[in-house]
Amino acid sequence: MHNRKVCFLCPWMDVEGGLQRVVSNVANQFAEKYEVCLCIISIRTGKPFYPLNPKIKVVNFPLAANGSSNLFVRGIRKIFNNIEIPLPDKIMRALYYPKGKVSILEDFLADEKFDDVIAACGELSMLLGCIDRKRVKANLFGWQHSSYNAYFKRRGYYYYGREKLAKSLYANLDAMILLTKKDCEIYRKKFNVHCLYIYNPLSFVSERKADFNSKFLIFVGRMERGPKGIDYLAEILQSVFKDSRADGWEIYVVGDGKDRQDFENSIQSAGISQRVRMTGRSSNVTECYLKSSVFVNTSRWEGFGLVVTEALECGLPVVAFETDGPMEIISDGREGFLIEKFDIPAFAECILKLMSDDKLREEMSKKAVIRAKDFSAPAVLEKWTALFEEFDTTLND
């Protein structure tokens, strides 16, 4: 009987990150049923950060994920990442996905005869769209790890200025896998592609749940102003900790990053540093969740929010801005609160409301645990299995 062969195209895997953790988790699940290959396309060739099932084959292609590593070409791409210039597709393809690199990948995929190839980010989804379907007889899937708005509408980030190119390349794929129902609607309208949403799976299961009587908030994430909004976090904490309803409360800030020092300076200036426990990166984030009773997410944009689902799994009510991921994951007033972007006073007030109402925290904690079941590894794997069955092929038999 033919054993299904599945290939993940990945960017660098040697760092601690949400994409890397999700890809590793899903690949490990797949390896119990399928023959799995992790094809890393990156000039960084370090050992994958997260543990992998020993059955998984890892292949490194030391190539830049989005074209040439030549400094001049990279400079041109940086310019296009900040302005929208309607260049012909052929020029854009040559700039980002030169034929030489496409040919190397094409040869590998054709030789290996995979049943399914999954490009595990927007960049590699576009690269996969360059493949000659006459040579590669696999199902080709693009798997997005952030929202449409984050990928295509944020000047200077991700794929700004490449929406027209993306539309032509995504048309060559069998399906796009997205993180939210909202993005499915957008991709159908903008790119005219077949798409479905599959949630990112939880990276752990916790039989223990957080103590809703604990007087600790918790923030988990990269210490960066841009995407993670830690400047907002500093402002919110200043408002919260000056209120008498927050007496006796503290916060765990779990994570590290380039703007950590700025954050620490802000809380020092505000005179609240003694109530902020900076843990840095933690090898046991679960314990931090379990010692807290409210989770805060201050991201400016969040394609999904793995930390949000982790908080739910531990029984934590969530307070977050109305970004794509949290809006998909939680219902306002049920498992937490969704705050209009970027209303600092309203965010602080919802935290204080939870701090001062033990019964509300308990009710939301119970509902958080129920919602977390939708993100369990078995539930997510079931959706992937249904996708494979939908596009089942016997080409490699």
Side-chain angles (χ1 to χ4, degrees), residues 236 321 339-348:
I236 290 164
F321 287 123
I339 314 300
E340 183 179 351
K341 296 185 292 189
F342 293 100
D343 190 335
I344 303 300
F347 200 115

Side-chain angles (χ1 to χ4, degrees), residues 338-380:
L338 292 169
I339 314 300
E340 183 179 351
K341 296 185 292 189
F342 293 100
D343 190 335
I344 303 300
F347 200 115
E349 182 56 36
C350 282
I351 291 176
L352 289 163
K353 186 176 181 179
L354 282 164
M355 284 178 161
S356 59
D357 192 334
D358 295 355
K359 187 171 178 56
L360 178 62
R361 291 202 307 278
E362 182 180 10
E363 289 173 354
M364 286 190 167
S365 175
K366 291 176 180 177
K367 291 170 182 174
V369 172
I370 294 169
R371 176 59 170 147
K373 296 182 188 301
D374 295 328
F375 308 99
S376 69
V380 172

Side-chain angles (χ1 to χ4, degrees), residues 66 68 70-83 85 87 91-92 94-96 160 162:
N66 60 349
S68 172
N70 178 281
L71 289 177
F72 174 74
V73 176
R74 285 169 61 187
I76 295 295
R77 287 202 307 265
K78 188 172 182 179
I79 293 172
F80 287 138
N81 198 216
N82 284 277
I83 56 176
I85 300 177
L87 289 176
I91 294 177
M92 293 291 279
L95 188 63
Y96 288 96
Y160 184 83
R162 275 192 272 169

Side-chain angles (χ1 to χ4, degrees), residues 297-312:
N297 180 285
T298 55
S299 294
R300 282 179 165 82
W301 64 88
E302 194 74 76
F304 185 68
L306 191 60
V307 291
V308 175
T309 59
E310 290 175 348
L312 297 179

Side-chain angles (χ1 to χ4, degrees), residues 57 73 86 102 161 286 311 352:
K57 178 182 178 182
V73 176
V102 173
T286 308
L352 289 163

